[in-house]
Amino acid sequence: MSWSKSGRDGAERDGASGDAPRGYHHGNLKEALIRAALELIAQKGPAGFTFAEAARWAGVSPAAPYRHFRDRDELLADVARRGFEAFEQALARAFDNGRPDPSAALDRLGKAYLAFARSEPAYYAAMFEAGVRPDANPELRAAGDRAFGVLRTACEALAATLPGPRPPSLMMALHIWSMAHGIASLFGRGDAARRPVPMSPEDLLEAGVLVYLQGLGMRPPG
């Protein structure tokens, strides 16, 4: 994913050096820093750049980012929060309130999970690999909880179709999330971290979830 900008409007206003690789528009410094962080994460990983390097990439002085962020961790937390918000929207669209049935909706949700990891690897890395503590930022924690809540809602709907005794939806959500996250991290990424596998990540996840649900008593379709 590339967030490069060609403009340099307003760079001199914040004391940017003349050879800075990126610029930003007046009044949009925070967004420029977010884009710089995403570009650097895509190139170097979430631990591979400094706060000063993000400032230089955005085309501003090393002091300018402190207008919006306390430090690099706070910048990464905001990137992760935005990632979780987009993630929640993608999962909710895929689930579509469980239509036409919970099983089909869960299958779409799983595919959306992998698609997000593939299409937004920088956001995904910020969300899960940056080492930012969720409890250190209430907004980040809330965004992550809302995204997980979509999966839990899907599992609640699916659990209602299982023969009794029904498993706790939280347990199901954690198990299915572990599978989806593991496959996305190992095989479904859209960057150099992706591992080769003799089947598609989507087929791998579908098979894993099917075996899991059959273990809980769900009969295969047909």
Side-chain angles (χ1 to χ4, degrees):
M1 171 170 53
S2 176
W3 290 87
S4 302
K5 287 178 69 72
S6 58
R8 287 181 44 78
D9 295 344
E12 289 75 16
R13 183 178 176 180
D14 283 90
S17 62
D19 59 352
R22 295 293 182 271
Y24 73 97
H25 295 290
H26 287 290
N28 205 23
L29 173 58
K30 187 173 184 178
E31 297 304 314
L33 291 167
I34 294 293
R35 289 191 291 270
L38 285 166
E39 184 71 32
L40 289 166
I41 291 169
Q43 292 185 8
K44 302 182 178 184
F49 67 95
T50 65
F51 202 32
E53 190 173 4
R56 186 183 69 82
W57 192 268
V60 298
S61 70
Y66 291 98
R67 300 179 185 183
H68 296 288
F69 301 105
R70 181 180 62 251
D71 52 25
R72 178 181 171 279
D73 285 348
E74 191 168 77
L75 171 60
L76 284 172
D78 200 39
V79 173
R81 175 189 62 80
R82 293 172 184 231
F84 274 116
E85 289 174 351
F87 193 43
E88 177 200 0
Q89 293 171 8
L91 297 182
R93 282 195 303 270
F95 181 57
D96 191 25
N97 292 317
R99 291 187 285 258
D101 62 76
S103 181
L106 180 66
D107 182 64
R108 290 196 309 269
L109 190 154
K111 289 180 170 64
Y113 195 113
L114 298 179
F116 186 90
R118 181 180 299 113
S119 64
E120 302 289 356
Y123 268 131
Y124 196 81
M127 291 156 57
F128 295 113
E129 300 167 14
V132 178
R133 292 173 47 205
D135 57 358
N137 186 306
E139 292 182 352
L140 171 58
R141 178 62 179 266
D145 288 348
R146 288 193 300 270
F148 182 77
V150 179
L151 176 57
R152 185 167 182 177
T153 297
C155 288
E156 287 173 351
L158 193 61
T161 69
L162 295 174
R166 292 169 180 167
S169 61
L170 176 58
M171 180 195 77
M172 289 180 62
L174 289 171
H175 289 168
I176 293 174
W177 173 65
S178 297
M179 278 190 281
H181 183 67
I183 291 170
S185 297
L186 290 173
F187 310 115
R189 292 283 295 273
D191 56 17
R194 182 172 181 173
R195 303 295 193 273
V197 62
M199 58 193 303
S200 74
E202 290 76 13
D203 288 346
L204 186 61
L205 179 59
E206 182 180 359
V209 171
L210 179 62
V211 170
Y212 173 73
L213 293 177
Q214 288 179 353
L216 293 177
M218 175 173 280
R219 296 181 179 179

